[in-house]
Amino acid sequence: MSLFSKIRCALTLGQGVLVSLPEPKGDEPPFALFDQWFAAAKKCGIVLPESMLVSTATQEGIPSARVVLLKEVDEQGFVFYTNYGSRKAAELDANPHANLTFHWNILQRQVRIEGRVERVSYEQSNAYFQSRGRGSRIGAWASHQSHPINSRSELEKQVQHFQEHFKDKEIPCPEFWGGYRVVPRVIEFWQGKADRLHDRYVYSREDEHALWNVTRLSP
Ligand SMILES: Cc1cc2nc3c(=O)[nH]c(=O)nc-3n(C[C@H](O)[C@H](O)[C@H](O)COP(=O)(O)O)c2cc1C
Ligand SMILES: Cc1ncc(COP(=O)(O)O)c(C=O)c1O
């Protein structure tokens, strides 16, 4: 084992390369395992463990991907917040399917999630929006995300405009900003192991009312 691997094992208390994934049982849902891995990622010092790659595609199947932050997760799905006028939103409106990919480097873990996508309610978006700092709330109003802008000063003018507009007032969540929930149909857990002989388990279900199946995949 290389020095780097030894340091990594020490830092992560042997999670990752040293510990095999427990054999999953029959039709057990994958959420408990996701929670366990996410908690481990938060504990081991990874910067922004909640960052994930969101891949979308146009109706013609042309893909695009970008990093966003996971803000809520439960058995209903995985929620991130964004601008409903952005490129990703246009792609999701036309083709409501996405893939989420987490890579927790030091733990040698990857999780890939596939599923249909729906918008969360305005109430849910507003509840999250109100938890953000005032600057980020103004920023959301000021930015036409993914649209061309002539200069930074144009953006700053927009910021100033909304600072004045909302001076001493509550800042509501804009109708053009909110959450998307990815309702998982497939979740793959990948645990890096020595000699590239990794553990891979893929959980899948026909739809969100069906039971989960789990299968081991070759590395
Ligand atoms: C670490 C990190 C976290 C980010 N989190 C978000 C996020 O939660 N929501 C968001 O809209 N953009 C987020 N961004 C910006 C996106 O990567 C992207 O630039 C933006 O959403 C526009 O993407 P689009 O043009 O494909 O729609 C984040 C970027 C980074 C690097
Ligand atoms: C443009 C944009 N929107 C939303 C977010 C979500 O994060 P937060 O709500 O913590 O600002 C980010 C995070 O980087 C971001 O860059």
Side-chain angles (χ1 to χ4, degrees), residues 143-214:
S143 167
H144 294 282
Q145 192 179 56
S146 315
H147 290 260
I149 183 166
N150 288 323
S151 63
R152 176 109 204 148
S153 69
E154 199 172 306
L155 179 63
E156 284 161 3
K157 265 191 215 142
Q158 284 299 305
V159 170
Q160 214 177 348
H161 166 79
F162 285 106
Q163 275 168 344
E164 281 155 24
H165 184 80
F166 290 119
K167 193 164 185 290
D168 303 323
K169 289 193 190 130
E170 300 279 294
I171 307 174
C173 180
E175 293 280 352
F176 59 79
W177 196 96
Y180 282 104
R181 178 184 297 107
V182 178
V183 181
R185 207 190 60 71
V186 179
I187 304 187
E188 184 197 320
F189 294 87
W190 182 101
Q191 173 64 71
K193 304 287 290 177
D195 301 324
R196 309 284 189 233
L197 296 173
H198 317 301
D199 281 334
R200 296 177 65 190
Y201 288 122
V202 60
Y203 290 74
S204 61
R205 57 181 177 178
E206 288 290 318
D207 59 55
E208 56 241 53
H209 309 292
L211 289 177
W212 288 91
N213 273 303
V214 56

Side-chain angles (χ1 to χ4, degrees), residues 48 51 64-71 80-83 86-89 145-146 177:
L48 292 177
S51 61
S64 71
R66 77 290 292 153
V67 173
V68 307
L69 300 182
L70 176 70
K71 293 295 177 179
F80 62 91
Y81 289 90
T82 194
N83 186 304
S86 65
R87 175 179 176 179
K88 73 182 89 48
Q145 192 179 56
S146 315
W177 196 96

